């Protein structure tokens, strides 16, 4: 029987090709994901361990430089005491913070949040063990810096050049003393690293004489645990010390945990692709079994048992699955290499390391590919075993009985109703209903898949008149052929329906969340520009008066963050500029007047006012950040605005009580709106600082909603694998259909249906099946997106479901295009059939 199975595989190479491709793509996704994440994990762990190679004990200080009552870090006197301990070889002190490097055109090099500055800390030999210099040397004077090689290359800087660097203060120009290589995570993430002389770095980021971190090296044979016990009593409050080995182990664990989420996400999409592939594989074996009815019946007639026939079909699946898995694993290795290169092209530099191929991805690739193929072939094998020997006497293929169809449709209806009920129940539950919706979505999808053959007849019947009217005989025949074998049509449409369900659901949620973000951000902003630090840190207080001096500026207001005790609880208060805040933000006054902000009063939003029982004229006891107390009067109540805090106050009221201002953004209104000239005026006003970004309305929209679009595009890319497999399913179905209907097509050609109309018939059949599956997927995806939206709308301001009709129309158009493309080869094969030979075919 195995020889028979092998012969059948070799005899139907072309027909099994689509099945091989489906399994191969799914396995490539699985094995590529496992190899890629194993490689990343190994590289990051090696990098982490390397950074602690010579560190016996590491100390981190969490002191606050603005708190005069405590040390901001570890003092140099403490460092000296640690160096005097037995077993300590050296102590390397570090400070760090934000530093942005300008390129030759004044633009920031790097990602902003990943732009770091630190100190060059040489030992007795004049070198810093953390960095290897490719050119020049480390900075040892106030006016010198060193740059990582990637940043120096991007800025086209060489040793001796003058480089403009921005920290949290004004931009300064330094001389480049050296260029170094590093495996620092910020640089690998696309950022930059600037090294200053230690005294300069302390002045910039902490206080002179203090360090944020210490790396303590041990003498040969010294015990790190003993050194740790001796170091701890010497440290100031708000400090933590651990052995280097403990930190390396912790980072390794964190890396493994972080990459597991990536791995699980990629494997989830691989599972979707394989699930879609099941329909293609099952369809292929079902059709092969149907075409070999007489052959299998003859085998039964000459003595083959049902189990032997079943094993024969499963043996074919085993051969196909093994072959596809082997090739798929090879493609997976290429995919892993490609993913690494893709991350490099996006500016994410990964640590150096070789490709890691462990036993797990090899076993997983073979197990998954073979298992999926065998599972998909189980039902066809079972049907093959039921073929009676008498079937060898005629050419009638076994058809589904009325009883089996009734049972199938009943089961499908029950599962679909259970799934829909679970989804509706989860939606009604709210934020705690996500698990119920997930279960319901799975059941609903399974139920719909079971019911699709039943649904195909009435749904396709609706478009039959239009097809017949528009395309004549070809259209009529295409619609009839599409429902001739409902199970096969259903299996093919199911693959597309699964992909379109996920794509539509993601699109509806993405567009809805994007609109909600617009309502809470750009719809509330009247300013032409929002000014902020590229690092996401606080702007210097001098930025506001400097911006007011720029030509064309008509209004400037910061959003300064402060926390005050109002009444009996602490409340976030936004410091703004009275008179200008109304010009840069959309504020709707409910009662009172915002002009009272200039008189030292506060404004509160209507929700807070209702909740706290405040109204215009209410006097509130207040405790400022410097512990001074007093009373504030509510001068206005405004409609809640999510871009601002619940309480507004004048910056002149808050500043006397703040040690430093926490200004996240400054909003600017200008004559003529957002223009290149106006933006340049603002850039010039702030000294052409590369670390400060100037965002217009579209930039603001992209900053807050761009992540959603990026995630959507990534999801679309990952789902593309499932859709490609679905397309292969359409091609396979049509090819098998043409093979089965050779005699019929020959008769049609004989009575006058020319080649052009035969091609059109096959293409229209493919379009009908593809669009049918797409319509099911779009409907189910929209329903699930609505349900998920009900669970998150409480935490998303201004949430309102948005149906992206333009995208849905595009999905349906693409589904039709998929049908046309998938039909190219089968349609060409059908048109080229010799009519006399086809008529004689059984």
């Amino acid at each position: 029987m195995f020889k028979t199975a092998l012969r059948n595989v070799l005899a139907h190479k072309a027909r099994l090709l689509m099945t091989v491709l489906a399994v191969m793509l799914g396995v490539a996704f699985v094995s590529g994901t496992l190899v890629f994440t194993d490689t990343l994990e190994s590289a990051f762990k090696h990098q982490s361990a390397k950074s602690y190679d010579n560190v016996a004990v590491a100390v981190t200080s969490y002191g606050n430089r603005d708190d005069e009552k405590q040390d901001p870090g570890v003092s140099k006197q403490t460092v000296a005491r640690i160096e005097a301990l037995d077993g300590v070889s050296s102590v390397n002190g570090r400070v760090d913070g934000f530093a942005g490097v300008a390129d030759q055109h004044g633009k920031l090099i790097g990602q902003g949040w990943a732009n770091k500055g630190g100190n060059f800390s040489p030992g007795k030999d004049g070198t810093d063990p953390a960095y290897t210099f490719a050119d020049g040397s480390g900075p040892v004077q106030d006016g010198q810096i060193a740059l990582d090689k990637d940043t120096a290359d991007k800025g086209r800087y060489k040793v001796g050049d003058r480089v403009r660097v921005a920290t949290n203060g004004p931009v300064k120009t330094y001389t480049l003393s050296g260029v170094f290589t590093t495996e620092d995570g910020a640089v690998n993430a696309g950022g930059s690293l600037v090294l200053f002389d230690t005294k300069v770095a302390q002045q910039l980021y902490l206080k002179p004489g203090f360090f944020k971190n210490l790396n303590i090296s041990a003498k040969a044979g010294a015990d790190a645990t003993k050194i740790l016990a001796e170091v701890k009593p010497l440290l100031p409050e708000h400090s933590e010390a651990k052995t280097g080995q403990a930190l390396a182990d912790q980072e390794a664990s964190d890396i493994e945990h972080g990459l597991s989420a990536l791995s699980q996400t990629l494997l989830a999409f691989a599972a979707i692709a394989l699930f879609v592939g099941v329909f293609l594989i099952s369809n292929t074996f079902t059709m092969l079994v149907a075409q070999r009815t007489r052959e299998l019946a003859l085998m039964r007639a000459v003595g083959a048992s049902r189990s032997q026939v079943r094993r024969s079909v499963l043996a074919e699946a085993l051969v196909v699955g093994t072959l596809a898995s082997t090739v798929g694993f090879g493609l997976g290795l290429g995919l892993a290499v490609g993913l690494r290169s893709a991350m490099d092209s996006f500016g994410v530099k990964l640590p150096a390391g070789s490709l890691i191929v462990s036993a797990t991805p090899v076993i997983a690739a073979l197990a998954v590919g073979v298992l999926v193929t065998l599972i998909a072939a189980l039902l066809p094998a079972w049907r093959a075993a039921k073929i009676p020997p008498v079937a060898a006497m005629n050419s009638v293929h076994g058809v589904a009985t009325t009883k089996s169809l009734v049972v199938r449709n009943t089961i499908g209806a029950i599962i679909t109703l259970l799934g829909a009920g679970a989804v509706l129940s989860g939606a009604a539950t709210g934020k705690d209903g996500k698990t119920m919706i997930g279960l319901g979505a799975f059941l609903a999808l399974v139920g719909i898949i079971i019911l699709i053959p039943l649904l195909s007849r009435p749904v396709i019947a609706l478009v039959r008149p239009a097809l017949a009217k528009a395309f004549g005989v070809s259209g009529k025949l295409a619609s009839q052929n599409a429902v001739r074998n409902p199970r096969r049509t259903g299996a093919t449409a199911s693959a597309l329906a699964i992909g379109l369900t996920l794509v539509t659901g993601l699109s509806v949620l993405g567009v809805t969340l994007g609109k909600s973000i617009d309502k809470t951000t750009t719809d509330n902003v009247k300013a032409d520009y929002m000014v902020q630090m590229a690092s996401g840190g606080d702007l210097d207080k001098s930025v506001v008066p400097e911006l007011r001096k720029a030509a064309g500026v008509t209004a400037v207001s910061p959003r300064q963050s402060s926390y005050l005790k109002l009444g009996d609880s602490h409340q976030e208060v936004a410091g703004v500029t009275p008179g200008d805040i109304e010009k840069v933000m959309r504020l709707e006054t409910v009662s009172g007047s915002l002009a009272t902000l200039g008189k030292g009063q506060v404004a509160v939003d209507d929700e807070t006012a209702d909740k706290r029982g405040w109204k215009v004229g209410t006097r509130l006891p207040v405790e400022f950040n410097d512990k001074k107390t007093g009373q504030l009067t509510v001068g206005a109540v405004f409609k809640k605005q999510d871009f601002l805090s619940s309480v507004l106050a004048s910056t002149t009221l808050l500043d006397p009580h703040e040690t430093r201002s926490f200004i996240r953004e400054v909003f600017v209104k200008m004559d003529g709106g957002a223009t290149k000239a106006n933006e340049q005026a603002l850039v010039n006003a702030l000294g052409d600082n590369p670390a400060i970004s100037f965002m217009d309305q579209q930039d603001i929209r992209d900053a807050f909603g761009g992540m959603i679009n990026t995630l959507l595009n990534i999801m679309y890319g990952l789902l593309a694998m499932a859709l490609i497999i679905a397309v292969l399913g359409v091609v396979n179905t049509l090819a098998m259909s043409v093979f089965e209907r050779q005699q019929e097509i020959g008769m049609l050609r004989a009575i006058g249906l020319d080649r052009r109309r035969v091609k059109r018939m096959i293409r229209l059949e493919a379009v009908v099946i593809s669009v049918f599956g797409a319509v099911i997927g779009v409907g189910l995806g929209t329903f699930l997106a609505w349900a998920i939206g009900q669970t998150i709308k409480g935490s998303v301001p201004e949430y309102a479901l948005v149906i992206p009709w333009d995208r849905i129309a595009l999905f349906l158009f693409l589904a039709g295009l998929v049908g046309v493309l998938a039909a190219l080869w089968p349609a060409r094969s059908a048109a080229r059939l010799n009519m006399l030979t086809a008529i004689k075919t059984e």
Side-chain angles (χ1 to χ4, degrees), residues 439-462:
L439 174 63
F442 176 75
L443 291 175
L445 192 58
V446 170
I448 290 292
I449 289 169
I450 296 173
L451 284 177
I452 272 185
L454 175 66
L455 296 174
S456 64
R457 290 186 181 275
V459 173
I460 294 176
L462 292 175

Side-chain angles (χ1 to χ4, degrees), residues 384-421:
K386 290 181 65 178
I387 295 175
V390 73
M393 304 303 174
N394 57 61
S395 59
V396 178
H397 297 170
V399 295
T401 64
T402 302
K403 180 182 177 181
S404 70
L405 291 175
V406 170
V407 170
R408 174 183 178 132
N409 294 334
T410 302
I411 293 173
I414 292 171
I415 294 175
T416 302
L417 289 174
L418 286 174

Side-chain angles (χ1 to χ4, degrees), residues 569-611:
S569 64
H570 284 84
Q571 186 81 40
E572 183 180 9
V573 178
V576 298
T577 302
D580 283 1
I581 187 63
E582 304 96 314
K583 297 176 183 177
V584 298
M585 304 294 290
R586 287 185 175 87
L587 289 173
E588 182 181 337
T589 305
V590 176
S591 60
S593 171
L594 291 172
T596 56
L597 289 172
K599 301 176 182 179
Q601 297 182 8
V602 296
V604 299
D605 69 41
D606 52 352
E607 291 186 11
T608 302
D610 291 342
K611 181 180 178 181

Side-chain angles (χ1 to χ4, degrees), residues 400-710:
T401 64
T402 302
K403 180 182 177 181
S404 70
L405 291 175
V406 170
V407 170
R408 174 183 178 132
N409 294 334
T410 302
I411 293 173
I414 292 171
I415 294 175
T416 302
L417 289 174
L418 286 174
V423 171
L424 291 172
S425 174
T429 304
K431 64 180 181 179
D432 297 323
K434 293 185 180 68
T435 302
M436 182 67 73
I437 290 175
L439 174 63
F442 176 75
L443 291 175
L445 192 58
V446 170
I448 290 292
I449 289 169
I450 296 173
L451 284 177
I452 272 185
L454 175 66
L455 296 174
S456 64
R457 290 186 181 275
V459 173
I460 294 176
L462 292 175
V463 299
R464 184 178 300 163
L467 287 173
K469 186 174 182 180
F471 301 101
V473 174
S474 297
K476 183 178 181 180
L477 290 172
S479 59
Q480 290 175 343
N481 291 333
V483 293
R484 174 179 294 182
N485 190 330
R487 281 182 169 174
R488 187 168 64 203
T489 296
T492 306
S494 295
L496 281 168
I498 293 168
L500 266 297
T501 295
L502 296 171
V503 168
T504 303
L506 289 170
S507 296
V508 172
L509 279 176
V511 171
T512 298
L513 291 174
K515 293 293 183 184
S516 299
I517 289 172
D518 280 350
K519 289 178 181 178
T520 58
T521 55
T522 51
D523 287 356
N524 287 326
V525 177
K526 294 165 66 176
D528 297 312
Y529 291 100
M530 182 173 77
V531 182
Q532 63 178 14
M533 291 292 291
S535 63
D538 297 314
L539 289 161
D540 190 77
K541 188 177 179 180
S542 63
V543 166
V544 176
E546 292 301 322
L547 287 172
R548 285 201 178 98
K549 297 175 185 177
V553 171
T554 58
V556 176
S557 178
R559 183 172 69 166
Q560 182 174 317
S561 182
S562 182
Y563 283 87
L564 307 181
K565 186 176 182 180
L566 291 174
D568 56 358
S569 64
H570 284 84
Q571 186 81 40
E572 183 180 9
V573 178
V576 298
T577 302
D580 283 1
I581 187 63
E582 304 96 314
K583 297 176 183 177
V584 298
M585 304 294 290
R586 287 185 175 87
L587 289 173
E588 182 181 337
T589 305
V590 176
S591 60
S593 171
L594 291 172
T596 56
L597 289 172
K599 301 176 182 179
Q601 297 182 8
V602 296
V604 299
D605 69 41
D606 52 352
E607 291 186 11
T608 302
D610 291 342
K611 181 180 178 181
R612 305 290 292 273
W614 296 345
K615 58 184 178 180
V616 173
T618 300
R619 294 182 64 79
L620 307 173
V622 59
E623 181 180 309
F624 293 97
N625 285 330
D626 60 358
K627 303 303 180 183
K628 292 184 180 179
T629 59
Q631 282 194 329
L632 294 175
T633 301
V634 177
V637 176
F638 62 93
K639 189 173 181 180
K640 182 175 175 60
Q641 212 255 49
D642 292 293
F643 214 79
L644 291 172
S645 303
S646 298
V647 180
L648 306 181
S650 170
T651 53
T652 57
L653 173 69
L654 300 176
D655 283 345
H657 306 285
E658 304 285 347
T659 54
R660 73 183 179 97
S661 300
F662 295 91
I663 301 176
R664 291 292 182 180
E665 300 97 7
V666 177
F667 298 93
V668 183
K669 189 75 174 173
M670 304 188 74
D671 283 330
T675 65
K676 288 185 177 180
N678 280 342
E679 182 177 341
Q680 190 59 49
L682 298 181
V683 171
N684 294 340
L686 297 184
D688 196 13
N689 190 327
I692 296 179
S693 64
F694 301 85
M695 305 170 67
D696 60 20
Q697 290 270 339
Q698 187 58 50
D699 292 332
I700 297 171
R701 183 174 285 108
D702 292 342
F704 286 92
M707 182 59 70
I708 292 176
N709 291 328
T710 300

